[in-house]
Amino acid sequence: MNDFKVTPWEVTGDIDYDELIVRFGTKRIDEELLQRFASYGPIHPLLRRGIVYSQRDMEFILDQYEKGNKFFLYTGRGPSGHIHLGHLMPWIFTKYIQDTFGANLYFQMTDDEKFLFNDDLSLKQTKDMAYENALDVIALGFDQRRTKIIVDTELIKTLYPMALEVAKRVTFSTAKAVFGFGNDNNIGEIFYTSVQAAPCFIEKSLYGKCTPCLIPCGIDQDAHFRVARDVAPALGCPKPALLHTKMFPGLTGGDKMSSSVPGSTIYTTDSPKEVRKKIGNAFTGGAVTVEEQRKDGGKPEVCAVFKYNFYLFEPNDKAVDDLAERCRKGEVLCGECKKLLSERIVQFLEVHQQKREEAKDKVHDFMLKEEC
Ligand code: TRP
C-alpha cells in the first residue's frame, strides 16, 4: 500500500489522488459535469486539466442555480505566514466561479486556528498575518460588492452561536476518528472544526436563510467539511458542496509546495532575483549532460518546471502539450524552460505586487464587521 497522508494539518508522501476519492468518499468531476460547467462559459484550465478534480454535491448547486436559487462561495486561509503561489491556486479558481455565477464569497481568515495549532505564534501575530494575507486575496481582483473577508477573532459574535450548534452535534469520538486527535491535543484544537464549519451556514447566521454553500478548497481540507455536512440537516440547512483541488507541486520535486522546505516555495512577495534563483534550482528530472538529454529527452511528468506551467502559468492547452512533447523528444532543454517560466512568474508577480499595494487602502472595506 502506498503510504501517504492527507489531513488538514499534514500532507506527506506520494499522494494517490484516485485513492483519496475512495478514502474520503467524494466524486470525481466527470465529463458530464464538465459539460455543465461549459454551458456557462469557457471552462477554467484548472478544471479542464483535472487539477480541480473531485467534488461533493456540485450537481445540487447547479440544479438549484438553474432553478434561480443562488448559492454562495466559502473558502479560507490559515494565516501562519506569507502567501505562496500554491495558496493562490484555489483562490484563482474561486474567482472564476464567482465571476461565472455572480456568487457572494465569504473568505475566512482563521487566526484562531493558527494560534491554537502553532506553538510559536501569538494571537497578535496570526491576526496581523490575517490582514497581511488579505492583501493577496484582494489583489486577485475579487468583486468587492460580493466579497467579504472574515477574521475569526473579530467576527466571533456572529460565528459563535453557529459554531455551538455544530459543536453540540460532534462527539469527541468523531473528532478523533476524523482528525486523529489524541490526549496531547489542546482542547481548542478539538473545538476548532466547529469554527471552520460555521461559515458554511453563515447566511443563516446573517439573514436567517439557508442559502446553499459551495466550498472550493484543497482536498486536504475535506475532513472539516465531512463533519459540517453531517450536522447540516440538524441545522435545517443543505449540506455544503465542495470542489476539491489537488495540492500545488513543490519546486524541489515533492507533491506539495510547502512553507517548511526552503526553496520549494515562491512567495507573492519574492523579488525577481529570488524567483530566478528558486526556479534555477528547481527539480526537473532532466539528464546530467546536454548530450544525454538531447538523446533521451526529459520527463515532464516529474518536472517541477513543467508542472508549474501545467498548473498555472501556461493556460493554452496546445502550448502545454507541445511543451511536453518537445521536452520528451529532447528538443527543449531544462535551462530554456526555467528561463521562460521565471520570466512568466516575474511578470505575474510584478502585477500582483502592484495590486497588493493598492489593496492596502481597501482592506477594511472587504472585512465583514460586527455591529457593536
Ligand atoms: N484551515 C484552512 C487553512 O489552514 C483555512 C480555512 C478556513 C479554509 N476555512 C476554509 C480553507 C474553507 C478552505 C475552505 O488554510
Side-chain angles (χ1 to χ4, degrees), residues 120-133:
D120 306 327
L121 293 175
S122 70
L123 203 44
K124 170 153 190 341
Q125 283 170 317
T126 58
K127 191 161 140 172
D128 289 348
M129 202 43 90
Y131 276 84
E132 198 266 359
N133 290 177

Side-chain angles (χ1 to χ4, degrees), residues 8-9 74-80 87 90-91 106-110 112-114 152 192 195-197 199-200 215-218 220-222 224-225 242:
W9 300 292
Y74 160 40
T75 194
R77 153 81 185 152
S80 54
H87 299 129
W91 306 348
Y106 298 89
F107 194 107
Q108 182 181 38
M109 292 290 181
T110 57
D112 51 350
E113 176 190 14
K114 291 298 152 178
D152 280 348
Y192 168 73
V195 180
Q196 185 156 331
C200 300
I215 309 168
C217 63
D220 59 325
Q221 295 296 313
D222 188 69
H224 288 297
F225 304 119
L242 290 120

Side-chain angles (χ1 to χ4, degrees), residues 231-247:
V231 304
L235 307 181
C237 288
K239 295 184 178 192
L242 290 120
L243 287 170
H244 300 110
T245 69
K246 295 179 179 171
M247 300 291 116

Side-chain angles (χ1 to χ4, degrees), residues 162-210:
M162 193 55 83
L164 288 175
E165 293 288 348
V166 175
K168 194 173 183 176
R169 293 171 174 88
V170 182
T171 64
F172 186 36
S173 101
T174 297
K176 280 196 281 193
V178 175
F179 299 105
F181 290 138
N183 283 344
D184 292 344
N185 285 97
N186 70 57
I187 58 177
E189 290 176 317
I190 296 153
F191 179 76
Y192 168 73
T193 192
S194 51
V195 180
Q196 185 156 331
C200 300
F201 315 110
I202 193 161
E203 296 219 334
K204 185 169 186 191
S205 305
L206 293 174
Y207 311 119
K209 197 169 154 263
C210 272

Side-chain angles (χ1 to χ4, degrees), residues 36 90 113 144 166 191 196 208 217 264 274 307 319 322:
R36 279 187 85 174
E113 176 190 14
Q144 191 169 337
V166 175
F191 179 76
Q196 185 156 331
C217 63
S264 83
E274 282 164 314
K307 286 186 194 168
D322 282 354

